[in-house]
Amino acid sequence: MLDKTFDPAAVEPRLYEGWESSGAFACDPASPAQPFTIMIPPPNVTGSLHIGHALTMSVQDMLTRWRRMQGRDALWQPGTDHAGIATQMVVERLLAGQGQDRRAMGRDAFLKHVWEWKAQSGGTITRQLRRLGASLDWPRERFTMDAGLSKAVAEVFVTLHSQGLLYRDRRLVNWDPVFQTAISDLEVESREVKGNLWHLKYPVEGEPGRFLVVATTRPETMLGDTAVAVHPDDDRYRDLVGRHVVLPLTGRRIPVVADEYSDPEKGTGAVKITPAHDFNDFEVARRHGLAMPSVLDADAKVTLAEIGAALSEDGGDPAFVRGLDGQDRFAARKAIVARLEEMGLVDRIEPHTHQVPHGDRSGVPIEPRLTLQWYVDAKTLAQPAVKAVETGQTVFVPRQWENTFFAWMRDIQPWCVSRQLWWGHQIPAWYAPDGEVFVARTEEEAQAAARAKFGRDVPLARDPDVLDTWFSSALWPFSTLGWPERTPELAKYYPGSVLVTGFDIIFFWVARMMMMGIHFMGEVPFRHVYIHGLVRDEKGQKMSKSKGNVMDPLELIEAYGADALRFTIASLTGPGRDVKLGRKKVEDYRSFGTKIWNAARFLEMNGIAADAGFDPAKAASPLARWVLDAANRAVADCTAALEAYRFDEYAAGAYRFVWGTYCDWFIEFAKPVLNGPDGAEKAEVKGAAQHVFGTILKLLHPAMPFMTEELWHRFGYGPECSLIRAPWPEAAPVAEAEAARAELDWVVKLIGEVRGARAEMNVPPSVTVPLLLQGASAATMERAARWIEAIRRLGRATEVRALDGAAPKGVAQVVVEEATVMLPLAEVIDLGAERARLAKSRGAAEGEARKLSAKLGNADFVSRAAEEVVEETRERLAAAQAEMARLDAALARIAG
């Protein structure tokens, strides 16, 4: 006998262990079945399950479970990313707490500690994914630094280098002064900072008393200026183009150049060009052949190494500048501004709020820094990837994300792949004493190449840098399958069927997998890219610790069960929109699970269990045919929704059918039959009940795997842990389905409309009234007679009779097909008071709608208010308008 309630804490771990130990998640490369492949976006090995993971992993698991049930050979590839800077930071902090320093212990000893940490603590998120119910093929789990993937990384690096697509270059990078490494754009976050805009006066050479005023937020970098740029069409400075100004403090002569980068409408229209410390200035310098001296070192302290020899007494202050050497950038800023003020070279200072890039982990402003790094020729690799999306070899869902992909890929810059870290794939390059570089798969290969070059053995030093983690994760779709070996897995599961990910890493990960996959495999890495939105709180606000609105998926699972969280996510995940998740919604969908469990208990109490002998095609009663036909339509709707990645429509279709059609209507219609004498009709209704309940369990399994699996074996549909491999439901043949649909849908609509009218009129449940049908056909009256017991019981009606002539006063009326159904209420409730109540409510709804409409009509509000506030206002307006329509209909139902 089923327990009174479903206990997720007791059931979920047991079932998951059963699935995993029985190999239910495993793919089979030898199987002739059509493959279905999803590559997990590998979570950081340092990570813990957050609500964003819960979204993307639930979606992937729904797709995998559904395709597995369809008979596909499903591989959901698990694995984790070594997360270079994040992991190094974690271990460094742990060591610091023990009084140890990375640099003091040396690289080998430090890496030994990292591997130990990974072995002990690195599996947290994979354990948590199991708690969510994720059916990954765990024995195939990979790690971006395991031996096989490391071999693939070396192979790709060496191959790209030999093809001229990977090279060393001196360019600007995002430099984190705390971690002393280049970082990717994804590791940079812009923060609003209140600062100043300093207008500085640069003396024009040869014209005493004339100055060119430049505006800057970074006076400390002026020591590295190599030009001032003005717009070619700016008449104010036309006579200065080609001439020079004197750089204050250093005394260096720097040219005035004409470049369209300078905006005449912004600041003074003249821009200081500091190529080694600004990305835009770097490009200006390349166009004009300017020098690029660095004036800040790796610690973001002033260095004179590249400008010390150029200091001049003529117009400069060499002694002051030399005193800046070694100063922190912000201390230097204060000192420089103070000195320029003393010299009368500060025109004015304006308060200025602007966006400053910060390292997302170090929390300090990053520096654009000119360094020698390894780069991939992304422009060349991007072209086939762009073509693949243009020609539909890979399709984005929703399609509008293709425009984002194109925008990035068509304007792509060289990809900096080196990082000044210790944890990661060490770059497979070795340097001879004269600086000659040998790129090779192994040190032995490098030594052989050096021997061939020099004619003797020479000492080689390996490049100390490691590769950007996006480099190894770009190979994920094929390296995890055994490449560069030609494995059976590679032959069968590449390319993948779909990639599920967020829009924020389309460029960082999706695009790079496209580039690498096409280049090394000759084919795109996935056919579809499903892009989901962000998880926000129920008001549409972004979740953050500072707002206190972060939701912990594990806590939600503990409180409501994994099924409730997963179904909530499915119900809210539609194309092109963010997921507004609140605790109340998870609680509500737990109630959906309770409804299913209670329905199962009802079936059990009525002796209904799995019956393989039941043949839907032989069903003769309208009720059995109706529910079987409705199940067929639910299967079709849910399947189509999953095919289109419409998880919200899948959840909505399943919910409507299960809660509404099956639980609220079919079971209620079936009760008199089940309580009656044994016979053919009772046996048929029981057969239909169990058949459709089995269909429901299959239909819901992708989103609610635990409860459905538990009920599947408890009802005898199959052994424990077998639903996961049961076939996805297909339409069952139903005789005269249209007639059954017409009959029962009419009964449902009649009772539903009567219930709605009673609720709007505040008719107490204990009060019963007759239903008067005006204009009803003979067939309708016969139908009402056949279902009179259900109509009486569920519609709280004493009788159903035809009405000839005029309608009596004091009725509420609804229309069901050709008939007008009237409820005589004059003797039951005060209709005048009800009209007044409804009219007052209608007036309140109209007032609310008017207020919200005016708010949205205010362009200032729409442009200035937070996006989530505007969206919430629109939703409130729609709700108020819907309430007005409902109340109008209610008022129209009351006849005088």
Side-chain angles (χ1 to χ4, degrees):
M1 189 74 184
L2 291 174
D3 293 337
K4 190 173 182 181
T5 58
F6 177 67
D7 183 2
V11 172
E12 291 175 356
R14 170 175 55 80
L15 288 179
Y16 195 92
E17 169 59 28
W19 286 324
E20 187 172 0
S21 62
S22 68
F25 306 153
C27 67
D28 180 7
S31 164
Q34 183 184 358
F36 176 77
T37 309
I38 291 186
M39 290 286 163
I40 192 174
N44 286 354
V45 71
T46 57
S48 293
L49 192 72
H50 58 62
I51 201 68
H53 288 136
L55 166 61
T56 191
M57 299 303 175
S58 293
V59 166
Q60 290 174 73
D61 194 48
M62 280 186 270
L63 289 170
T64 303
R65 287 178 181 270
W66 167 55
R67 292 298 193 186
R68 193 184 281 128
M69 293 175 77
Q70 285 189 319
R72 302 278 286 273
D73 179 26
L75 167 61
W76 185 12
Q77 174 64 51
T80 51
D81 189 274
H82 63 279
I85 195 168
T87 304
Q88 182 158 321
M89 182 178 73
V90 167
V91 178
E92 281 197 62
R93 285 179 177 170
L94 288 171
L95 292 171
Q98 301 167 11
Q100 299 185 73
D101 177 74
R102 167 171 68 94
R103 290 176 179 83
M105 68 172 55
R107 184 173 195 141
D108 290 344
F110 175 73
L111 291 178
K112 184 170 180 285
H113 280 284
V114 181
W115 280 108
E116 287 172 354
W117 176 88
K118 191 262 179 186
Q120 293 169 9
S121 307
T124 298
I125 196 162
T126 57
R127 290 191 295 273
Q128 293 168 339
L129 286 172
R130 287 170 166 87
R131 191 71 186 87
L132 184 66
S135 59
L136 291 137
D137 194 344
W138 291 113
R140 296 183 178 275
E141 184 177 351
R142 304 304 299 268
F143 177 55
T144 48
M145 282 183 62
D146 69 28
L149 269 63
S150 295
K151 181 180 179 182
V153 166
E155 183 68 28
V156 166
F157 190 97
V158 172
T159 302
L160 289 176
H161 182 265
S162 69
Q163 295 170 340
L165 296 172
L166 191 149
Y167 55 90
R168 295 181 88 205
D169 195 10
R170 194 164 183 258
R171 298 175 60 92
L172 281 187
V173 296
N174 296 315
W175 184 264
D176 190 312
V178 172
F179 292 112
Q180 302 274 293
T181 181
I183 59 176
S184 73
D185 288 344
L186 195 65
E187 294 163 316
V188 176
E189 60 181 31
S190 288
R191 299 181 187 176
E192 190 171 84
V193 173
K194 291 181 179 179
N196 291 309
L197 192 61
W198 287 274
H199 294 256
L200 308 179
K201 297 159 68 173
Y202 286 22
V204 176
E205 185 183 49
E207 287 193 56
R210 185 180 180 187
F211 300 93
L212 188 54
V213 178
V214 301
T216 181
T217 59
R218 303 204 61 197
E220 68 276 13
T221 65
M222 67 178 292
L223 302 176
D225 288 0
T226 55
V228 173
V230 297
H231 195 277
D233 300 330
D234 194 332
D235 291 335
R236 293 174 294 176
Y237 307 119
R238 194 181 298 276
D239 68 314
L240 290 177
V241 174
R243 296 175 60 185
H244 291 77
V245 294
V246 177
L247 183 62
L249 302 178
T250 72
R252 279 190 289 118
R253 296 169 66 250
I254 59 174
V256 179
V257 299
D259 196 282
E260 291 186 352
Y261 164 62
S262 179
D263 184 352
E265 305 297 322
K266 197 172 178 181
T268 66
V271 183
K272 63 191 277 300
I273 302 300
T274 320
H277 299 284
D278 183 276
F279 287 97
N280 291 312
D281 293 3
F282 177 77
E283 296 300 330
V284 173
R286 282 166 47 122
R287 288 195 287 272
H288 294 275
L290 302 174
M292 302 183 184
S294 293
V295 293
L296 295 175
D297 64 13
D299 294 307
K301 293 179 179 179
V302 174
T303 174
L304 305 183
E306 296 182 25
I307 65 164
L311 298 178
S312 171
E313 295 283 356
D314 187 11
D317 189 347
F320 170 77
V321 174
R322 290 191 182 97
L324 296 173
D325 196 25
Q327 282 196 31
D328 175 77
R329 52 186 163 167
F330 299 119
R333 175 186 296 179
K334 291 180 181 178
I336 287 171
V337 171
R339 182 64 181 133
L340 291 174
E341 286 182 313
E342 291 172 5
M343 299 170 69
L345 295 178
V346 177
D347 184 69
R348 66 187 186 277
I349 302 173
E350 297 174 340
H352 181 64
T353 300
H354 60 132
Q355 296 290 324
V356 176
H358 286 65
D360 66 346
R361 291 185 176 87
S362 65
V364 303
I366 64 104
E367 283 293 339
R369 186 163 184 258
L370 194 59
T371 59
L372 187 62
Q373 304 277 358
W374 288 93
Y375 288 88
V376 166
D377 180 0
K379 189 176 184 66
T380 298
L381 292 176
Q383 292 170 17
V386 169
K387 185 178 179 182
V389 176
E390 287 175 337
T391 57
Q393 296 173 62
T394 293
V395 176
F396 280 74
V397 182
R399 292 296 289 261
Q400 67 257 30
W401 287 113
E402 291 178 4
N403 295 327
T404 302
F405 177 81
F406 291 143
W408 279 331
M409 295 292 272
R410 288 170 179 157
D411 190 33
I412 198 166
Q413 299 299 307
W415 172 18
C416 176
V417 296
S418 46
R419 297 289 182 268
Q420 290 64 56
L421 301 170
W422 286 354
W423 174 244
H425 294 100
Q426 193 169 352
I427 287 173
W430 286 262
Y431 300 94
D434 66 351
E436 179 81 16
V437 61
F438 297 93
V439 172
R441 293 166 184 80
T442 64
E443 186 171 2
E444 290 72 26
E445 279 189 19
Q447 287 171 336
R451 195 178 304 117
K453 167 84 175 177
F454 296 108
R456 67 185 190 282
D457 287 334
V458 296
L460 297 179
R462 186 168 184 176
D463 194 312
D465 290 352
V466 300
L467 286 164
D468 176 13
T469 55
W470 295 108
F471 189 92
S472 52
S473 59
L475 319 181
W476 190 252
F478 55 93
S479 64
T480 52
L481 299 175
W483 187 92
E485 305 299 326
R486 292 286 165 176
T487 63
E489 288 82 357
L490 193 66
K492 183 168 188 180
Y493 302 113
Y494 187 96
S497 307
V498 59
L499 178 77
V500 177
T501 189
F503 62 83
D504 52 335
I505 56 173
I506 290 176
F507 176 68
F508 292 96
W509 192 43
V510 179
R512 289 166 181 177
M513 284 190 288
M514 290 283 288
M515 292 189 287
M516 294 298 195
I518 294 171
H519 190 74
F520 286 96
M521 294 295 296
E523 196 169 5
V524 295
F526 22 73
R527 299 301 184 195
H528 289 108
V529 180
Y530 174 72
I531 302 293
H532 57 70
L534 296 174
V535 184
R536 298 179 179 271
D537 70 12
E538 63 269 29
K539 295 180 180 177
Q541 296 185 67
K542 193 171 182 178
M543 292 187 183
S544 69
K545 290 180 181 177
S546 60
K547 291 179 183 175
N549 63 349
V550 173
M551 302 188 75
D552 179 356
L554 294 169
E555 191 274 327
L556 291 172
I557 289 171
E558 289 299 323
Y560 305 112
D563 287 339
L565 176 60
R566 290 167 59 113
F567 195 84
T568 305
I569 287 170
S571 72
L572 299 173
T573 303
R577 73 166 193 253
D578 289 339
V579 173
K580 294 181 183 178
L581 181 66
R583 191 180 185 92
K584 178 68 167 58
K585 287 181 178 175
V586 184
E587 186 176 353
D588 289 345
Y589 282 115
R590 180 183 61 178
S591 299
F592 178 50
T594 301
K595 186 82 170 178
I596 297 166
W597 190 260
N598 287 341
R601 281 169 50 80
F602 172 82
L603 298 181
E604 188 180 53
M605 286 186 288
N606 281 273
I608 297 170
D611 179 5
F614 175 76
D615 183 359
K618 294 180 180 178
S621 72
L623 180 57
R625 289 173 172 174
W626 174 73
V627 76
L628 290 164
D629 172 65
N632 286 345
R633 285 181 285 128
V635 169
D637 290 346
C638 289
T639 304
L642 289 172
E643 290 279 4
Y645 303 102
R646 290 299 306 251
F647 302 98
D648 54 345
E649 291 183 0
Y650 157 69
Y655 185 93
R656 278 194 308 272
F657 173 68
V658 175
W659 190 302
T661 303
Y662 190 81
C663 295
D664 279 357
W665 293 111
F666 170 72
I667 286 179
E668 290 302 323
F669 289 154
K671 281 179 180 177
V673 180
L674 296 174
N675 291 331
D678 291 342
E681 184 183 16
K682 185 173 184 177
E684 187 172 281
V685 167
K686 291 174 74 171
Q690 65 80 29
H691 176 87
V692 173
F693 192 65
T695 298
I696 286 170
L697 297 181
K698 291 179 181 180
L699 205 61
L700 287 173
H701 181 74
M704 304 177 72
F706 292 107
M707 179 182 288
T708 55
E709 186 72 84
E710 179 73 357
L711 291 172
W712 180 260
H713 85 265
R714 294 286 289 268
F715 270 75
Y717 294 106
E720 190 169 58
C721 297
S722 65
L723 174 57
I724 190 171
R725 292 280 183 177
W728 183 249
E730 296 181 353
V734 179
E736 299 181 34
E738 287 187 17
R741 191 186 313 157
E743 175 120 342
L744 270 297
D745 283 357
W746 180 87
V747 179
V748 168
K749 186 172 183 183
L750 173 70
I751 296 170
E753 292 285 357
V754 169
R755 282 175 167 177
R758 288 173 61 97
E760 284 166 353
M761 299 300 120
N762 280 337
V763 179
S766 59
V767 173
T768 57
V769 296
L771 302 182
L772 311 178
L773 272 60
Q774 187 179 60
S777 65
T780 292
M781 295 308 300
E782 290 171 5
R783 183 180 284 164
R786 283 195 297 273
W787 294 94
I788 187 61
E789 289 306 318
I791 294 169
R792 281 176 177 157
R793 182 165 51 89
L794 301 176
R796 311 300 296 154
T798 55
E799 61 177 326
V800 178
R801 69 172 186 265
L803 174 67
D804 297 320
K809 289 187 176 182
V811 298
Q813 54 192 28
V814 295
V815 177
V816 180
E817 294 185 3
E818 87 287 0
T820 300
V821 182
M822 301 180 183
L823 287 73
L825 298 177
E827 305 299 322
V828 177
I829 59 172
D830 185 339
L831 289 173
E834 282 305 309
R835 282 193 201 92
R837 180 183 67 81
L838 292 168
K840 183 178 179 181
S841 297
R842 205 270 183 202
E846 184 179 13
E848 174 74 356
R850 194 182 301 115
K851 180 180 74 174
L852 295 168
S853 185
K855 204 170 187 180
L856 290 168
N858 183 338
D860 195 45
F861 166 74
V862 174
S863 63
R864 294 194 175 199
E867 182 184 338
E868 61 266 20
V869 173
V870 176
E871 182 60 28
E872 184 187 8
T873 305
R874 289 196 182 104
E875 290 174 359
R876 287 171 58 200
L877 174 60
Q881 290 169 337
E883 180 66 359
M884 288 166 58
R886 185 189 72 79
L887 292 165
D888 284 340
L891 283 163
R893 287 192 181 113
I894 304 177

